[in-house]
Amino acid sequence: MNKKTVKDMDLKGKKVLVRCDFNVPMDENQKITDNTRIVAALPTIQYLLENDCAIILCSHLGRPKGEFKSEYSLKPVAEELAKLLGKEVIMAKDVIGEDAKSKASNLKNGQIMLIENVRFHKEETENDQEFAKELAKMAEIYVNDAFGAAHRAHSSTAGVAEFLPAVSGFLIEKELKFLGKAISNPERPFVAILGGAKVSDKIGVIDSLLEKVDTLIIGGGMAYTFFKAQGYEVGNSICELDKLELATNLMKKAEEKGVKLILPMDTKIGKEYKADTESKTVKYNEIPEGWEGFDIGEESIKLFIEELKKAKTVVWNGPLGLFEFDQFAIGTNEIAKALAKMDCTTIIGGGDSAAAVKKAGLEDKMTHISTGGGASLEFLEGKALPGIECLLNK
Ligand code: AMP
């Protein structure tokens, strides 16, 4: 993972194409509701400005499925970015069309432009070579800073690197530093805590983390498949009956590897999938028929926190309950609060767990919150990320 960054290149006065992750949430009036991803791109843009570059930014936004749709325009991003930088951001009307090309060729050093949503062309997600070549023609150097899209082999995240010298920006560099150290050389004890809905989504990451961690804590919807595999009844809880053998094998693997595998002791159950449903807490092996496990209980929270306190490195991915409903967000919130108080390396692997930490206002208390849900999961699984593989080696 020793990839060149913007610091390893002579960028003075160059025209640079930067792939950002501006896939920000917007409301129905195209108003940005969370600008975190735009803010995360600023260090690289500022560095390029200091180096007197002409900067061409690109990104995807949502899934417009290969055609222009005004609700997926990046125009609001250009406006937000201009506000944050206190500087004009020129918006192109298209991606590789007349407008983008002429604006790119007239772009002066120290100026910034943003081309339209790369997914307005279906070629983007097909990693089409010709499309990548057209993007590349606009610049002299390619910088990838879109960690959130680095697990995709698309034209603007990987393909373009075939036609331009390609390096990473500071955001990708930072992600690789923290996630990379956690999986290759963690300070021990190394504890991972995994939640989320399904075992099937997390098999790869559980399997790979069992090679690396000292303790693996499992919560969330996944836990019920493990309970069922041990022969307990789980009522209507989310449970993958076709993954029972797999869960058994993962438990066996943990034992063989000497990894302490910790499952919840108790669970908060509800009658229905509803925010205000009747609820109560029961032992993990006493879930009555007709009830559904939606969160970890107080005993589990205590147990998990005790284990986490022993750690020098913690990686957390996935909420520990149905955290969208307040009464089942307690496990997730308590774990977030406990991690915030800890004096060790705490890495939050994007997605819902990152959202939960932010919602609790605890982001500044964590060592690193990944900007990529899917990308950080694939990285922790040990998979090669195309958006990083394609960059020049140091
Ligand atoms: P994932 O994308 O796999 O990390 O899963 C996140 C989703 O899992 C969130 O929407 C949670 O509400 C959901 N989830 C976590 N625990 C449970 C549970 N016990 N029952 C149902 N859904 C859950």
Side-chain angles (χ1 to χ4, degrees):
M1 278 302 152
N2 218 359
K3 294 295 184 180
K4 283 195 179 175
T5 79
V6 282
K7 288 233 157 136
D8 298 310
M9 303 296 270
D10 179 13
L11 293 168
K12 275 261 171 320
K14 293 265 164 57
K15 199 165 267 185
V16 185
L17 175 70
V18 189
R19 175 52 156 101
C20 298
D21 178 10
F22 290 150
N23 186 28
V24 289
M26 289 184 187
D27 65 15
E28 60 283 3
N29 301 314
Q30 276 76 59
K31 205 170 161 298
I32 296 167
T33 53
D34 180 355
N35 70 358
T36 307
R37 286 180 165 162
I38 305 177
V39 173
L42 294 178
T44 299
I45 297 172
Q46 253 137 4
Y47 180 79
L48 297 176
L49 284 174
E50 283 159 25
N51 277 277
D52 206 27
C53 298
I55 306 167
I56 301 161
L57 304 172
C58 67
S59 175
H60 78 281
L61 174 69
R63 294 185 175 172
K65 307 229 167 93
E67 56 182 293
F68 179 86
K69 289 189 184 125
S70 60
E71 65 270 34
Y72 292 103
S73 169
L74 283 168
K75 206 158 164 245
V77 172
E79 285 160 12
E80 179 66 15
L81 188 59
K83 237 188 269 165
L84 290 167
L85 288 167
K87 194 175 166 49
E88 186 195 9
V89 174
I90 300 163
M91 185 69 212
K93 290 195 186 80
D94 47 32
V95 184
I96 49 164
E98 279 295 304
D99 194 57
K101 280 185 178 157
S102 79
K103 282 179 174 149
S105 78
N106 292 324
L107 198 68
K108 298 193 181 65
N109 294 351
Q111 284 190 318
I112 305 172
M113 68 175 276
L114 174 61
I115 60 173
E116 260 301 359
N117 190 342
V118 283
R119 289 198 190 162
F120 285 167
H121 290 254
K122 67 172 183 2
E123 290 82 358
E124 160 68 3
T125 51
E126 292 164 356
N127 196 7
D128 181 84
Q129 279 228 335
E130 283 308 309
F131 180 66
K133 205 192 260 177
E134 290 302 311
L135 286 171
K137 272 187 198 162
M138 288 192 263
E140 297 163 274
I141 289 176
Y142 168 69
V143 173
N144 189 5
D145 215 17
F147 183 73
H151 56 317
R152 310 271 185 225
H154 293 172
S155 294
S156 72
T157 59
V160 67
E162 282 184 39
F163 306 102
L164 289 176
V167 298
S168 83
F170 295 126
L171 179 61
I172 284 198
E173 185 189 26
K174 186 170 159 228
E175 294 274 5
L176 293 183
K177 181 177 147 203
F178 286 108
L179 296 174
K181 181 165 190 313
I183 56 164
S184 61
N185 186 22
E187 250 195 284
R188 293 185 181 276
F190 177 17
V191 181
I193 174 159
L194 295 180
K198 292 180 176 171
V199 182
S200 48
D201 291 339
K202 307 270 161 106
I203 299 166
V205 78
I206 297 174
D207 200 48
S208 145
L209 285 173
L210 283 175
E211 307 279 343
K212 299 184 168 96
V213 298
D214 300 295
T215 302
L216 179 62
I217 302 175
I218 290 183
M222 272 200 297
Y224 306 97
T225 301
F226 284 88
F227 294 149
K228 186 83 183 171
Q230 289 172 292
Y232 303 118
E233 289 310 322
V234 295
N236 294 338
S237 310
I238 203 168
C239 177
E240 291 165 278
L241 293 174
D242 58 336
K243 294 289 177 293
L244 299 182
E245 196 184 333
L246 180 99
T248 307
N249 289 340
L250 289 170
M251 289 187 277
K252 250 191 234 152
K253 179 167 176 177
E255 207 178 321
E256 283 160 18
K257 296 268 168 196
V259 173
K260 197 165 163 187
L261 181 72
I262 298 179
L263 290 163
M265 301 286 295
D266 56 357
T267 171
K268 193 167 180 188
I269 56 176
K271 271 266 176 198
E272 285 172 275
Y273 193 95
K274 260 189 8 199
D276 60 353
T277 186
E278 181 191 343
S279 69
K280 60 181 179 180
T281 300
V282 296
K283 275 180 70 179
Y284 69 97
N285 54 359
E286 290 175 0
I287 302 173
E289 218 177 289
W291 289 72
E292 199 168 343
F294 287 133
D295 198 6
I296 54 172
E298 292 89 49
E299 282 206 32
S300 311
I301 295 173
K302 255 192 249 156
L303 171 73
F304 288 7
I305 292 175
E306 252 166 57
E307 286 301 324
L308 291 168
K309 276 186 178 159
K310 297 177 195 162
K312 285 260 165 52
T313 306
V314 178
V315 168
W316 178 23
N317 182 290
L320 300 168
L322 181 58
F323 80 118
E324 292 90 341
F325 296 165
D326 285 349
Q327 67 161 332
F328 302 115
I330 297 170
T332 302
N333 287 339
E334 290 303 313
I335 295 302
K337 279 194 237 161
L339 288 179
K341 281 194 214 132
M342 282 170 51
D343 183 22
C344 71
T345 302
T346 44
I347 294 170
I348 314 301
D352 285 333
S353 17
V357 167
K358 282 183 204 163
K359 202 172 154 199
L362 300 170
E363 356 173 20
D364 297 343
K365 305 275 194 281
M366 307 295 174
T367 312
H368 179 66
I369 301 183
S370 177
T371 52
S376 70
L377 207 59
E378 291 200 15
F379 189 86
L380 293 172
E381 275 178 51
K383 285 192 188 159
L385 306 186
I388 289 164
E389 287 289 296
C390 70
L391 305 176
L392 293 171
N393 290 318
K394 272 206 185 181

